[in-house]
Amino acid sequence: MTPIITNIHGLPEALVKAVQNDPYTGGGDISVTKLIDAPQKRALWLQHHDAIEEDVSERIWSLLGQAVHHILERAGTDTLVEERLFANIEGWKLSGQFDRLHLGSRTLSDYKVTTTYKAKGDDNWTRQLNVLRWLAAQNGLAVDRLEIVAIFRDFRRSEAARNPDYPSQAVKVIEIPVWPMDETEAYVRERIRLHQVAQSGAALSCTDEERWYTGDKWAIVKPGGKRALKVLDAKPAQVPDGMLLEHRPGRYRRCEEYCEVSPWCPQWNDTPHPLSDATEES
């Protein structure tokens, strides 16, 4: 099931066709990427997929990621590339595809075209690769090491020279912690059950993490200034003389900008959408 692809920005037809001809087939009852994602989101997708639209401009980075995967086919011998695996668990068939498995070192690698914001890793990457490791074990493939090969689409050499916390190169290998296999299986079972509950029609709200909730912020700003001097997670007891305190209410960024099923989501429709509170003067 794929969304209706639009082209509101008039991008070249070649890009439109490349997105429309996505070869992804999935298979099984649920994929690893859907498993680790919000059950409510998947359930709403199943209910409303015929009405969901997605613009081709939103698929460009995904398209480039697929190009990287094609390049991996040059990796050589002793390597499995883009293998799709299956396993039956809790009455469902789970499917997952890894990017590269080096048989000699038993290293499973996943390639991500991403932003420098994720240079230190991402919890979903850890979940995804550990579930793929479990799937590999169910198919007779041993994996001892997990890694993300992050390709930063927004890398800036000038920032790398100035900021020691910034990636030094446009590519970084990020080691992913390996979970005990029994804990991974328990996680997979629990996620399957949650998705089964949501698919049955029961209410199962998304978590703040799944909604990319920013949390309330408090900004100290100079009168007339365009940028905050400091942004805090809690309201300070006092503000420096002459400064202003600006409350920035927490936002559910995924719901606002990146969730294709938000128009049908009761949780999002019941969520207040404040802009900001008045600025307080010290």
Side-chain angles (χ1 to χ4, degrees):
M1 295 178 291
T2 58
I4 301 167
I5 300 299
T6 61
N7 186 20
I8 61 176
H9 300 290
L11 297 182
E13 186 67 15
L15 288 176
V16 178
K17 293 298 184 183
V19 169
Q20 290 175 335
N21 295 329
D22 187 341
Y24 174 78
T25 56
D29 295 292
I30 190 169
S31 68
V32 171
T33 52
K34 295 293 185 184
L35 179 84
I36 66 176
D37 203 357
Q40 177 176 238
K41 182 175 182 290
R42 175 179 172 274
L44 288 170
W45 172 276
L46 292 174
Q47 293 173 31
H48 302 285
H49 67 273
D50 288 339
I52 293 172
E53 294 185 354
E54 187 174 1
D55 194 69
V56 66
S57 62
E58 301 296 324
R59 291 281 196 96
I60 297 303
W61 296 120
S62 174
L63 197 63
L64 291 182
Q66 291 176 22
V68 170
H69 295 161
H70 284 300
I71 294 171
L72 293 179
E73 295 175 0
R74 307 175 189 172
T77 60
D78 201 27
T79 302
L80 297 178
V81 178
E82 294 198 313
E83 292 277 340
R84 181 159 291 280
L85 306 173
F86 299 90
N88 294 310
I89 184 167
E90 296 293 331
W92 277 14
K93 179 179 284 187
L94 172 66
S95 74
Q97 180 172 296
F98 59 76
D99 288 347
R100 181 175 184 267
L101 174 58
H102 189 273
L103 300 175
S105 64
R106 296 185 175 183
T107 299
L108 191 151
S109 306
D110 196 73
Y111 286 68
K112 303 287 188 185
V113 178
T114 185
T115 68
T116 52
Y117 176 78
K118 292 189 175 183
K120 293 184 179 180
D122 180 273
D123 288 342
N124 269 342
W125 294 350
T126 300
R127 297 171 185 133
Q128 178 190 7
L129 264 63
N130 275 282
V131 175
L132 284 173
R133 175 175 176 259
W134 178 85
L135 259 181
Q138 307 312 302
N139 287 267
L141 298 170
V143 175
D144 296 332
R145 183 172 171 269
L146 303 171
E147 66 180 18
I148 291 289
V149 181
I151 301 171
F152 302 118
R153 63 189 189 225
D154 59 345
F155 176 79
R156 290 178 293 143
R157 191 170 297 280
S158 58
E159 184 67 15
R162 184 189 68 82
N163 184 355
D165 294 326
Y166 194 82
S168 60
Q169 300 293 333
V171 180
K172 180 181 179 181
V173 177
I174 302 172
E175 192 86 13
I176 298 297
V178 176
W179 296 349
M181 197 64 78
D182 59 340
E183 292 183 12
T184 306
E185 180 163 325
Y187 170 79
V188 171
R189 290 187 184 279
E190 177 60 19
R191 295 301 300 177
I192 291 283
R193 292 171 187 143
L194 289 173
H195 280 280
Q196 289 172 338
V197 167
Q199 188 170 321
S200 73
L204 193 61
S205 296
C206 295
T207 65
D208 283 351
E209 180 186 6
E210 290 167 341
R211 302 176 76 190
W212 303 353
Y213 181 56
T214 63
D216 282 6
K217 305 293 181 182
W218 297 87
I220 297 176
V221 298
K222 186 176 181 179
K226 295 182 179 180
R227 299 182 63 181
L229 301 178
K230 185 180 293 187
V231 179
L232 307 170
D233 292 331
K235 184 177 181 179
Q238 59 183 24
V239 180
D241 290 342
M243 297 293 106
L244 302 176
L245 183 64
E246 180 182 273
H247 178 216
R248 299 178 178 178
R251 295 174 53 203
Y252 297 96
R253 292 189 61 250
R254 189 181 196 186
C255 304
E256 290 179 15
E257 303 174 28
Y258 299 101
C259 183
E260 63 273 20
V261 297
S262 61
W264 301 278
C265 178
Q267 184 180 10
W268 173 238
N269 291 329
D270 289 343
T271 300
H273 307 155
L275 296 177
S276 65
D277 285 358
T279 299
E280 303 174 15
E281 189 169 355
S282 67

